[in-house]
């Protein structure tokens, strides 16, 4: 249906920030900015045909320069955590910003791709955004080129396709950090919404949310979402894993992941009737219940607080470089990074 482009703010360096709107024939509408390749708004009809914006975000581009909770953004070159903020690759040691206790989180708080200026171009009915990274930038080896393509289909699918190249072996583990609230971004807690995950296992963590290296069953624990249940039902349980991260903030091991697209999650707000399915070809997904969302003002003056949105971040497992038994997110010459994730509203 074509893409509408409008001004959304100005970079500190003077470049214009833009907002791009994609719509489908069913009344679903998504707005994306070229700062952080971020999802700013996502309008979805309820069971009565009334639309609501179901993602947390801000009213102007400049607000994404701060964005302490990473609302809507594309994370890279490496999402999630690297233990000790360092890794060894091909015999050489690399050091990353120490920005989460002794560890590295989301590459860099200020210079990661989530705050970068992405070049945007229309590609038919899709929006293609591109960013480049130099060898050694943020501590990662290789000259990199990353492309992120958003497509909104008439099947109510928001498709996210990633492609990245590097001229040296490097860590490339991209994800999208959109916070969903299927009742509407202004509706408060998400604890009453339902979630099912096609994941019989997860990767337990140590203090600092660094994986132990174990792949453990969810059965018999509050992390078992193999059957549909409310997010808040067991979030306060007396469980060490929940206490370490103040609720759910764990990587789930997707069942039978083999690099093909498969359904990995389903979330639902019963009152509105909005239901979202997630598909990906990646091996893992971080379910984050928004435990530590910073108290702040969002779109339309709405007050955001802990657990007013949840994330389903598809990716390779956190800290995989230190755990040879995890699928490895090392890419370089002759091995491009490619992945796809779909959020479908049904």
């Amino acid at each position: 249906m074509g893409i509408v482009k409008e001004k959304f703010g100005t970079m500190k360096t003077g470049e214009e920030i833009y907002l791009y709107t994609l719509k489908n024939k069913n009344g679903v509408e998504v707005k994306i900015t070229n700062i952080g390749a971020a999802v700013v708004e996502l309008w979805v009809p309820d069971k009565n045909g009334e639309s609501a914006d179901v993602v947390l975000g801000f009213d102007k581009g400049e607000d994404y320069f701060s964005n302490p909770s990473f609302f809507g953004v594309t994370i890279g070159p490496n999402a999630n955590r690297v233990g000790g903020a360092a890794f060894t690759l091909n015999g050489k040691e690399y050091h990353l910003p120490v920005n989460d206790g002794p560890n590295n989180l989301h590459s860099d708080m200020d210079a990661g791709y989530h705050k970068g200026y992405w070049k945007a171009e229309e590609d038919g009915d899709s929006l293609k955004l591109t960013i480049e990274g130099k060898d050694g930038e943020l501590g990662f080896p290789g000259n990199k080129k990353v492309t992120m393509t958003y497509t909104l289909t008439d099947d109510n699918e928001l498709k996210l396709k990633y492609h990245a190249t590097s001229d040296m072996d490097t860590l490339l583990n991209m994800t999208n950090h959109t916070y969903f609230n299927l009742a509407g971004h202004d509706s408060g807690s998400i604890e009453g919404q339902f979630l099912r995950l096609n994941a019989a296992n997860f990767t337990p963590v140590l203090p600092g949310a660094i994986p132990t290296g174990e792949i453990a069953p969810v059965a018999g624990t509050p992390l078992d979402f193999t059957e549909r249940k409310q997010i808040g039902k067991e979030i306060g349980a007396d469980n060490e894993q929940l206490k370490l991260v103040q609720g759910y903030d764990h990587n789930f091991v997707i069942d039978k992941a083999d690099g093909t697209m498969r359904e990995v999650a389903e979330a639902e707000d019963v009152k509105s009737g909005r239901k979202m399915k997630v598909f990906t070809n990646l091996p893992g997904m971080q379910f984050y219940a928004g435990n530590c969302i910073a108290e702040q003002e969002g779109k339309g003056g709405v007050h955001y607080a802990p657990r007013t949105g949840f994330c389903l971040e598809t990716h390779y497992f956190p800290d995989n470089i230190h755990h040879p038994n995890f699928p490895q997110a090392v890419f370089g010459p002759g091995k491009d990074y490619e992945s796809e994730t779909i959020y479908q509203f049904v």
Side-chain angles (χ1 to χ4, degrees), residues 71-337:
F71 293 150
V73 292
T74 298
I75 305 288
N78 187 73
N80 216 305
R81 292 171 173 86
V82 176
F87 63 94
T88 299
L89 184 59
N90 297 336
K92 184 174 180 179
E93 188 169 314
Y94 296 92
H95 293 271
L96 308 176
V98 180
N99 62 7
D100 187 50
N103 307 310
N104 175 265
L105 174 64
H106 294 333
S107 300
D108 190 280
M109 293 299 186
D110 294 314
Y113 295 171
H114 68 285
K115 291 186 181 177
Y117 189 86
W118 294 62
K119 178 184 176 183
E121 58 182 312
E122 296 182 29
D123 184 9
D125 288 332
S126 300
L127 179 68
K128 184 166 73 174
L129 300 113
T130 304
I131 196 167
E132 298 186 7
K134 296 179 180 179
D135 179 32
E137 192 173 74
L138 312 181
F140 295 94
N143 294 296
K144 295 166 285 294
K145 183 176 182 179
V146 178
T147 299
M148 166 75 172
T149 303
Y150 286 100
T151 305
L152 179 62
T153 75
D154 285 334
D155 292 323
N156 296 344
E157 298 171 320
L158 180 61
K159 293 186 174 183
L160 288 63
K161 283 191 175 182
Y162 304 80
H163 180 264
T165 60
S166 173
D167 61 2
M168 296 174 62
D169 284 345
T170 193
L171 298 189
L172 282 167
N173 190 11
M174 309 290 296
T175 197
N176 180 270
H177 211 292
T178 292
Y179 288 78
F180 297 95
N181 187 326
L182 298 179
H185 79 102
D186 54 356
S187 61
S189 174
I190 49 81
E191 291 186 35
Q193 295 175 29
F194 286 82
L195 181 66
R196 177 181 55 78
L197 302 177
N198 293 336
N201 297 280
F202 78 111
T203 51
V205 296
L206 299 164
I210 299 298
T212 65
E214 180 187 8
I215 294 176
V218 299
T221 78
L223 289 97
D224 189 348
F225 282 89
T226 55
E227 297 291 336
R228 176 179 178 269
K229 72 178 179 184
Q230 285 184 308
I231 291 171
K233 182 177 181 180
E234 297 181 286
I235 202 168
D238 184 11
N239 176 273
E240 180 186 8
Q241 284 294 307
L242 297 185
K243 290 178 178 179
L244 284 171
V245 291
Q246 303 177 56
Y248 298 113
D249 189 8
H250 296 82
N251 171 64
F252 286 78
V253 179
I254 293 168
D255 292 343
K256 300 178 182 178
D258 60 1
T260 61
M261 293 295 290
R262 60 186 58 247
E263 182 180 330
V264 297
E266 182 179 275
E268 182 179 11
D269 176 62
V270 173
K271 185 176 179 180
S272 68
R274 293 188 187 91
K275 184 183 291 186
M276 180 178 75
K277 292 187 176 185
V278 184
F279 303 81
T280 192
N281 59 357
L282 287 163
M285 181 172 62
Q286 191 87 2
F287 166 43
Y288 176 43
N291 314 306
C292 300
I293 292 175
E295 301 266 353
Q296 61 197 287
E297 183 177 301
K299 290 177 287 191
V302 172
H303 179 73
Y304 295 147
R307 300 183 185 159
T308 54
F310 65 87
C311 301
L312 295 171
E313 307 162 60
T314 57
H315 57 11
Y316 285 84
F317 303 172
D319 199 36
N320 60 82
I321 191 68
H322 290 134
H323 303 287
N325 59 314
F326 288 179
Q328 294 294 292
V330 175
F331 298 89
K335 187 181 180 184
D336 293 357
Y337 171 87

